[in-house]
Amino acid sequence: MARVVVDVMLKPEILDPQGQAVQRALPRLGFEGIADVRQGKRFELEVEGPVDDAALARIHEIAETFLANTVIEDFSVKVEVGEGADASAVKAES
Amino acid sequence: MTARIGVITFPGTLDDRDTQRAVRTAGLEAVPLWHRDKDLKQVDAVILPGGFSYGDYLRAGAISRFSPVMESVIDQAKAGMPVLGICNGFQVLTETHLLPGAMLRNNHLHFICRDQKLRVENAETAWTRSYEQGQEINIPLKNIDGRYVADERVLDELEAEGRVVFRYEELNPNGSLRDIAGISNAAGNVVGLMPHPEHAVEPLIGTGRTDGLGFFTSILKRLVSA
């Protein structure tokens, strides 16, 4: 089974108060020098069968219609081939 | 025969009973609808009540959007049936794209529960005919994902077409752009807002006022005149 990772991030122009709260906490914890933090979501999809173009197209559709709200969020799709193997990245931004 | 108003219950909906009660208080028949029903039971209008459908997992309203009942609601809304989304219902309506924009976590990250003043900016929609333009109403607000956002182009379009139906007065409780508390679609039959009119229909509860009752009497006016 192959794993496909979908990362979802708020678009850069959208205020991310959760990320800001994390960023503001860092100096209190002794971590200096972090100018900005933005918080997103990561989905790991275990795919049955081969991750071919058709499967990727379907996952892209899942990401676009459901996992991300493209009014406010961007997403990317990455394929991780096998366990421990190098991740070959297929990127699709929206 | 009186008008039949469908009130949809999703798993995690909290305010369906209050909404049904508000519908009856306005002299209408409340018809409970289950999220798995595709059949809208020939209702004249639909309300998506507040709560935390599907636990707000993924995004508020995102999973409900794919419920079987929503397919019928989307079709009927496009055909002109009045639809009101309150709080979580508003979030569902943005996720279906029946209303533009999106709802995000409050800018201060706190759950907020307060009596909220609103200005009625458009008294022509299916759900606001009992009000007057510019009227100030006071109804409860309770949410954590209440920050309305849309890009500048959409915001300008909403303003130009009179589709900003409610604005927060005195205090913007969540960082919503342009103090927007509620909007409508272009036809004015679909309206969404974050505060809760159904909690202010009887003087003994909520704000102690009945400022929310106008939503439910508005729909009666609309259905009678249609």
Side-chain angles (χ1 to χ4, degrees), chain B residues 87 106 110-113 141-146 168 174 194:
Chain B
C87 197
N106 295 343
H110 297 290
F111 186 92
I112 189 159
C113 182
L141 170 96
K142 54 187 176 89
N143 64 63
I144 192 166
D145 292 302
Y168 296 116
N174 46 33
M194 286 315 291

Side-chain angles (χ1 to χ4, degrees), chain A residues 10-58:
Chain A
L10 279 176
K11 288 181 177 177
E13 66 271 23
I14 303 278
L15 173 71
D16 176 13
Q18 289 172 299
Q20 286 181 345
V22 173
Q23 192 255 330
R24 281 198 300 270
L26 289 173
R28 291 203 296 274
L29 302 171
F31 298 107
E32 304 291 341
I34 305 298
D36 192 27
V37 175
R38 294 183 70 79
Q39 182 174 324
K41 298 186 191 113
R42 171 186 166 105
F43 299 88
E44 296 183 353
L45 312 182
E46 302 293 336
V47 181
E48 291 171 351
V51 182
D52 51 17
D53 285 353
L56 268 177
R58 262 188 55 234

Side-chain angles (χ1 to χ4, degrees), chain A:
Chain A
M1 287 225 279
R3 173 179 292 171
V4 179
V5 177
V6 179
D7 283 308
V8 176
M9 292 297 296
L10 279 176
K11 288 181 177 177
E13 66 271 23
I14 303 278
L15 173 71
D16 176 13
Q18 289 172 299
Q20 286 181 345
V22 173
Q23 192 255 330
R24 281 198 300 270
L26 289 173
R28 291 203 296 274
L29 302 171
F31 298 107
E32 304 291 341
I34 305 298
D36 192 27
V37 175
R38 294 183 70 79
Q39 182 174 324
K41 298 186 191 113
R42 171 186 166 105
F43 299 88
E44 296 183 353
L45 312 182
E46 302 293 336
V47 181
E48 291 171 351
V51 182
D52 51 17
D53 285 353
L56 268 177
R58 262 188 55 234
I59 290 164
H60 193 274
E61 194 188 340
I62 292 168
E64 191 167 30
T65 55
F66 188 43
L67 301 181
N69 177 348
T70 55
V71 174
I72 46 170
E73 293 166 331
D74 294 323
F75 67 89
S76 66
V77 179
K78 274 188 317 227
V79 185
E80 287 182 359
V81 184
E83 240 169 66
D86 289 341
S88 76
V90 179
K91 269 206 126 181
E93 298 279 352
S94 168

Side-chain angles (χ1 to χ4, degrees), chain B residues 19-211:
Chain B
T19 304
Q20 290 168 18
R21 186 178 173 81
V23 165
R24 289 194 299 268
T25 304
L28 303 152
E29 184 184 349
V31 180
L33 297 173
W34 180 233
H35 73 119
R36 263 196 285 208
D37 296 339
K38 273 188 92 164
D39 177 12
L40 296 184
K41 300 184 181 168
Q42 297 184 318
V43 293
D44 301 297
V46 161
I47 302 178
L48 311 180
F52 296 87
S53 59
Y54 288 91
D56 277 354
Y57 294 138
L58 186 58
R59 294 178 305 279
I63 297 177
S64 315
R65 178 249 173 281
F66 294 96
S67 289
V69 76
M70 286 309 296
E71 283 178 46
S72 307
V73 170
I74 291 166
D75 285 349
Q76 290 298 308
K78 286 180 177 165
M81 184 183 72
V83 178
L84 176 67
I86 302 168
C87 197
N88 193 239
F90 185 15
Q91 293 157 345
V92 174
L93 290 177
T94 60
E95 285 286 336
T96 59
H97 306 299
L98 283 172
L99 294 174
M103 309 300 306
L104 282 163
R105 188 61 46 98
N106 295 343
N107 58 347
H108 45 71
L109 300 178
H110 297 290
F111 186 92
I112 189 159
C113 182
R114 68 190 306 271
D115 294 345
Q116 176 68 50
K117 279 191 184 152
L118 303 178
R119 191 167 63 250
V120 179
E121 300 279 25
N122 182 342
E124 309 274 308
T125 76
W127 300 93
T128 55
R129 290 178 181 198
S130 291
Y131 298 105
E132 283 166 29
Q133 180 157 352
Q135 186 178 344
E136 193 180 86
I137 61 173
N138 194 344
I139 61 177
L141 170 96
K142 54 187 176 89
N143 64 63
I144 192 166
D145 292 302
R147 175 166 53 111
Y148 180 75
V149 300
D151 64 34
E152 288 294 310
R153 187 184 55 77
V154 169
L155 292 170
D156 289 342
E157 194 178 295
L158 288 173
E159 305 258 17
E161 295 176 3
R163 292 166 56 193
V164 175
V165 182
F166 306 96
R167 247 186 265 269
Y168 296 116
E169 279 268 276
E170 289 178 7
L171 178 142
N172 180 332
N174 46 33
S176 283
L177 295 179
R178 302 195 195 181
D179 299 332
I180 289 173
I183 57 171
S184 76
N185 66 344
N189 63 308
V190 180
V191 171
L193 81 165
M194 286 315 291
H196 289 262
E198 79 281 14
H199 295 328
V201 297
E202 289 163 304
L204 278 175
I205 53 165
T207 55
R209 301 160 59 133
T210 57
D211 291 7

